[in-house]
Amino acid sequence: MSGNIELLNTTLAATRAADRAALIAYLPAGFPTVDGGIEAVKAVIAGGADIVEIGLPHSDPVLDGPVIQTADDIALRGGVRIADVMRTVREAHEATGVPILVMTYWNPIDRYGVERFTAELAEAGGAGCILPDLPVQESALWREHADKHGLATVFVVAPSSQDARLATITAAGSGFVYAASLMGVTGTRASVGAQAQDLVGRTRATTDLPVCVGLGVSNAAQAAEVAGFADGVIVGSAFVKAMLDAPDEAAGLAAVRSLAGELSEGVRKR
């Protein structure tokens, strides 16, 4: 069965044609529970998210700050497994028709088996994977199987990436490019910073792929700022924090749906 890279491509083309950025939401699988995590994904989509990234919880999430680390810890202590990640992708996609990607560090895929992981992700209706710690020069096996199964391979670029390095990364990727707005870990920031705009410009000089910006966006004003120069606005920690801060699951679902609505308005005010 083929994955949904084409759905991802057409979704990003449609938002560009509408002269706005895409809103891309991140939530970890298994948080606060597997069922609760699936409902949270549905809630952010109902609020206005165009694309969703499902995090595969990891015991040492080097790119992620304390908010997502806390959610990952809750999911792992709850016993979340890769099968639960696939179930989250399947049920969220079947319920909404929205492209769903998995964001994961490389080690869990390597241990699970690349062929097995890509085949199961495609069968679940996934659109691809974001792989923040997989070096491009070591990605041939992954890309072979991802291409075979119709899955996007999204690499992360950072402000420290030199232009030649950017060209190497973007030539190997598909779907979109994830531009980290600043050096550091995930988390909300008071400002997103000029580094992000410079990085988007330098990345676009190397590729026709959409360039989507993550790390730091937490409100409509920041979303509008980033939407002024990027093809997509990626928000993770703000959604997770809304769930963590809620007194119960129902309140958390209402909070993430409301936040998605605010951010969705923001990306339309570029």
Side-chain angles (χ1 to χ4, degrees):
M1 181 173 177
S2 181
N4 271 315
I5 186 173
E6 285 307 317
L7 176 62
L8 176 65
N9 293 341
T10 57
T11 298
L12 288 164
T15 56
R16 177 180 284 182
D19 193 31
R20 69 173 180 90
L23 174 59
I24 304 175
Y26 166 94
L27 286 165
F31 168 73
T33 62
V34 176
D35 288 343
I38 293 168
E39 293 307 311
V41 176
K42 294 177 185 176
V44 296
I45 294 169
D50 300 290
I51 298 163
V52 175
E53 303 172 8
I54 303 298
L56 194 161
H58 194 272
S59 57
D60 186 26
V62 293
L63 182 70
D64 295 307
V67 170
I68 291 175
Q69 286 184 25
T70 298
D72 276 7
D73 184 58
I74 290 169
L76 290 167
R77 283 191 284 112
V80 71
R81 296 289 183 267
I82 288 178
D84 300 311
V85 177
M86 299 300 178
R87 179 186 156 211
T88 301
V89 171
R90 177 182 293 103
E91 294 192 15
H93 175 65
E94 286 179 351
T96 66
V98 163
I100 311 286
L101 299 103
V102 169
M103 184 165 185
T104 179
Y105 298 96
W106 179 245
N107 181 257
I109 295 177
D110 192 38
R111 292 180 61 185
Y112 197 72
V114 176
E115 168 61 21
R116 181 184 177 194
F117 189 95
T118 51
E120 290 184 8
L121 182 56
E123 191 275 330
C129 247
I130 301 162
L131 301 161
D133 67 339
L134 177 63
V136 171
Q137 62 269 28
E138 297 174 18
S139 68
L141 178 65
W142 164 266
R143 288 186 285 126
E144 174 191 341
H145 288 288
D147 290 348
K148 180 171 76 172
H149 289 291
L151 299 169
T153 298
V154 178
F155 289 114
V156 178
V157 298
S160 60
S161 302
Q162 300 297 311
D163 291 351
R165 177 69 177 162
L166 288 176
T168 299
I169 293 170
T170 58
S174 56
F176 63 90
V177 182
Y178 186 126
S181 66
L182 72 174
M183 301 303 293
V185 298
T186 59
T188 60
R189 300 291 194 281
S191 63
V192 178
Q195 283 185 317
Q197 188 165 0
D198 173 70
L199 176 59
V200 170
R202 292 194 297 118
T203 304
R204 280 196 176 134
T206 72
T207 184
D208 291 329
L209 289 172
V211 183
C212 304
V213 171
L215 274 68
V217 176
S218 61
N219 58 50
Q222 290 174 334
E225 176 191 355
V226 174
F229 58 82
D231 297 295
V233 179
I234 303 168
V235 181
S237 294
F239 284 120
V240 175
K241 187 174 187 300
M243 292 286 289
L244 285 169
D245 289 348
D248 55 50
E249 187 175 307
L253 296 177
V256 295
R257 179 171 180 164
S258 175
L259 177 58
E262 295 170 17
L263 293 165
S264 180
E265 289 183 15
V267 300
R268 288 166 168 79
K269 294 177 180 175
R270 55 196 310 174

